[in-house]
Amino acid sequence: MDDKKNIILIGMMGAGKSTIGHLLDQKLSDFFYVDIDIEIEKEAQKHITQIFAENGEEYFRKLESRIIKKFCAYHNQVISTGGGVVEKIENMLEMKKNGILFYLKASPKTLYERVRKNTTRPMLFHENPESRLKELMQKREKYYQEADFEIDTEKKELAEIVDEILVKYDSIKYCNN
């Protein structure tokens, strides 16, 4: 099996990183799927909402960086990240070392519609979650723009998004050899 660069999905909560990650994993038999949030929960032995409530965001971000460093050292993975992973420069450097970054993008309105009923998003525990989402997106957009590719997820079928990622991934793979 050849060592292939990781496919790393970044973007806001609700962009579809986990869903698309699972679908990519099903199509790529020589890749392994990793959801960074799940790996954080395994290591901490508690849910992300508990980590935020009991230990705070700073502790969560340190755990996230450690998990990113660990998994980005491997090849042949589809990695779904948390929305805020891009805010730390060391995370971006780790992800870019061995991966192709895909920014899954959607409008704040669409993102809010996708996550508004989800009660496990600590970054939205706010009196006005929709404005909080917009604020987070504005803060992170410059980091998301550093991705190798931007994939608009608005009004697209999941299979179309997966195919677009695979075509772009193959194009860069052949350019680098």
Side-chain angles (χ1 to χ4, degrees):
M1 175 170 73
D2 291 338
D3 283 346
K4 296 178 185 162
K5 284 196 165 214
N6 296 321
I7 296 172
I8 302 178
L9 307 176
I10 63 172
M12 288 294 295
M13 62 187 91
K17 299 178 302 284
S18 295
T19 302
I20 297 299
H22 281 292
L23 293 171
L24 284 164
D25 181 49
Q26 290 171 4
K27 280 199 137 180
L28 299 167
S29 60
D30 56 342
F31 275 66
F32 180 75
Y33 177 66
V34 176
D35 185 311
I36 295 300
D37 285 347
I38 290 171
E39 296 302 323
I40 290 168
E41 289 181 339
K42 282 183 195 172
E43 181 155 319
Q45 297 183 340
K46 49 182 135 177
H47 293 290
I48 289 174
T49 50
Q50 286 177 280
I51 297 169
F52 269 78
E54 295 170 13
N55 307 101
E57 183 178 359
E58 187 177 331
Y59 176 81
F60 171 81
R61 296 294 173 203
K62 285 180 183 172
L63 259 177
E64 182 178 56
S65 292
R66 191 164 68 237
I67 297 294
I68 284 289
K69 186 172 184 152
K70 174 182 174 182
F71 282 97
C72 285
Y74 302 113
H75 292 81
N76 298 67
Q77 299 176 111
V78 174
I79 300 174
S80 297
T81 64
V85 72
V86 297
E87 290 184 43
K88 281 191 158 184
I89 187 75
E90 61 264 28
N91 292 342
M92 291 297 283
L93 293 171
E94 286 296 329
M95 292 187 294
K96 284 181 174 242
K97 271 185 201 174
N98 201 21
I100 308 300
L101 274 63
F102 292 86
Y103 169 29
L104 301 186
K105 185 174 184 169
S107 70
K109 182 180 180 354
T110 298
L111 294 170
Y112 182 69
E113 282 304 310
R114 292 176 183 170
V115 300
R116 67 186 174 89
K117 292 181 181 155
N118 187 322
T119 58
T120 63
R121 308 275 185 174
M123 296 305 287
L124 292 183
F125 295 168
H126 194 267
E127 62 192 42
N128 186 339
E130 189 170 8
S131 81
R132 176 70 174 142
L133 186 80
K134 285 179 188 172
E135 176 188 307
L136 287 169
M137 190 168 180
Q138 287 172 345
K139 178 180 174 186
R140 296 171 178 170
E141 184 67 23
K142 64 184 173 201
Y143 304 113
Y144 293 144
Q145 293 295 322
E146 293 181 33
D148 297 292
F149 297 102
E150 183 176 301
I151 308 292
D152 183 357
T153 65
E154 295 272 342
K155 300 177 181 93
K156 287 184 183 171
E157 296 293 323
L158 294 172
E160 187 181 353
I161 296 165
V162 168
D163 289 345
E164 187 177 344
I165 290 169
L166 292 174
V167 165
K168 290 180 185 301
Y169 179 77
D170 282 342
S171 75
I172 204 164
K173 183 174 67 177
Y174 294 116
C175 288
N176 290 338
N177 287 341

